[in-house]
Amino acid sequence: MIYQTAAEWQAASNKRVLMFGMSGLGKTHLSAMLREAGGWFHYSVDYRIGTRYMGEYIADNFKREAMKVPFLRELLLTDSVYIASNITFDNLAPLSTYLGKPGDPARGGVPFAEYMHRQTQHRDAEIASLLDTPRFISRAQDIYGYGNFVCDCGGSICEVVDATDPADPVMRALSDNLLMVWIKGNEAHTEELIRRFDRAPKPMYYQPYFLERMWHDYRQMTGEAEDAVDPDAFVRWTYAKALAHRQPRYAAMANWGVTISAEDVAQVRDVTGLTNLIAQAIEARHARA
């Protein structure tokens, strides 16, 4: 770890942390709190994915849909309109919409082969965005004068690294430059996340072998053809299994850093509160060693 003791962390003039864990447990909330307090550069991996690495794919998908509408088709062909996504830290809908859900086209689904293609694009983009983190640490300091840096990564980070491999290039690049902080939820949090997802299912990135197994098992269970699957029903069915699949992967990542609980995160009100919470986590790690 780049901070060996709680005292070293507290005294550091340049604090650098990466928050990871299930989506919905407070990563982006804490990152935004640090940014708004001043003195912290907020690097959003999902924003980087959607703007730098997948922006063209997203815009092309919008144009593909627009070309189906005669009125818009004519405007596009004459360069009379400009179509682009408007991704922000708080609104990543264009990225989610592009990833899509597999199944019945009449219900908004995409063919499974195309879905897997987009998943591969996301994986490549996520790895590249994570590996960009050290460069953004330097940019934040050199250009803007920010000494403190928070990396707000997506819930799928555990799907693109092998935390059990000491030589994993992404884990090495991140842990050599930031303190890895796992926001760990409990069973009640998991149940609430499932309920929340049930109300508004959204596209996510999954490891290929996991996704292929889920697609096979779901279709075997329902007896549905690929183009008859209800896209929302499939992603709802998959989500709870994905959370269970990810938990041990997050735990392996936590061995590279420290763990804080989602309950404690919910009580954090300011930068000092978060700094103290992380200091306690560093102390707890040394106590276990």
Side-chain angles (χ1 to χ4, degrees):
M1 297 195 309
I2 63 171
Y3 308 105
Q4 292 301 311
T5 66
E8 185 180 344
W9 156 255
Q10 292 278 28
S13 57
N14 296 335
K15 292 180 171 63
R16 304 194 301 269
V17 296
L18 179 147
M19 310 280 188
F20 69 93
M22 291 187 293
S23 296
L25 293 184
K27 299 187 303 293
T28 299
H29 168 72
L30 290 180
S31 299
M33 180 193 73
L34 293 175
R35 182 185 72 240
E36 291 165 5
W40 284 80
F41 187 92
H42 178 187
Y43 178 62
S44 167
V45 172
D46 282 340
Y47 179 80
R48 179 71 170 166
I49 291 170
T51 54
R52 170 64 177 84
Y53 292 105
M54 294 188 69
E56 191 170 299
Y57 300 142
I58 293 167
D60 283 352
N61 194 48
F62 290 162
K63 293 171 185 175
R64 196 173 292 113
E65 292 301 312
M67 287 291 285
K68 298 175 183 177
V69 181
F71 174 71
L72 292 177
R73 175 186 172 86
E74 183 62 29
L75 292 173
L76 277 174
L77 290 174
T78 57
D79 289 328
S80 301
V81 294
Y82 176 76
I83 295 179
S85 71
N86 187 29
I87 288 180
T88 66
F89 281 14
D90 300 317
N91 181 13
L92 298 165
L95 177 58
S96 293
T97 300
Y98 176 72
L99 275 178
K101 309 166 190 175
D104 183 0
R107 288 181 278 187
V110 298
F112 189 70
E114 173 62 20
Y115 179 66
M116 292 298 291
H117 175 60
R118 296 182 187 187
Q119 290 272 310
T120 299
Q121 290 175 333
H122 189 282
R123 176 184 177 83
D124 293 344
E126 184 161 6
I127 290 172
S129 298
L130 288 166
L131 290 174
D132 282 343
T133 305
R135 184 161 63 87
F136 270 82
I137 292 173
S138 297
R139 289 184 69 194
Q141 176 74 57
D142 296 343
I143 300 175
Y144 306 109
Y146 285 109
N148 301 315
F149 186 97
V150 57
C151 178
D152 170 17
C153 66
S156 57
I157 184 175
C158 66
E159 307 278 19
V160 301
V161 300
D162 180 2
T164 63
D165 178 4
D168 183 87
V170 178
M171 290 299 296
R172 282 256 64 94
L174 297 174
S175 64
D176 285 350
N177 289 278
L178 308 103
L179 177 65
M180 309 286 288
V181 179
W182 180 24
I183 302 178
K184 182 181 181 181
N186 56 30
E187 288 186 11
H189 290 117
T190 300
E191 291 170 3
E192 174 56 27
L193 291 175
I194 292 171
R195 281 195 295 271
R196 208 182 297 171
F197 190 89
D198 229 29
R199 290 194 296 269
K202 65 177 184 178
M204 290 173 56
Y205 172 78
Y206 304 101
Q207 283 188 332
Y209 80 88
F210 171 82
L211 192 52
E212 287 169 352
R213 189 174 81 246
M214 293 299 100
W215 184 244
H216 172 270
D217 291 352
Y218 182 81
R219 290 181 54 237
Q220 190 171 57
M221 177 184 72
T222 62
E224 295 172 333
E226 288 198 3
D227 60 359
V229 170
D230 179 341
D232 283 345
F234 171 71
V235 296
R236 284 190 180 104
W237 183 82
T238 302
Y239 182 70
K241 294 174 176 55
L243 295 187
H245 160 77
R246 287 181 173 182
Q247 198 69 5
R249 301 185 68 85
Y250 288 137
M253 289 180 64
N255 292 327
W256 295 66
V258 299
T259 301
I260 58 179
S261 72
E263 298 100 313
D264 289 338
V265 164
Q267 303 305 313
V268 170
R269 296 292 179 264
D270 53 30
V271 176
T272 300
L274 178 59
T275 300
N276 291 340
L277 182 59
I278 291 174
Q280 293 166 15
I282 295 173
E283 288 179 347
R285 177 186 172 98
H286 284 299
R288 293 192 302 269

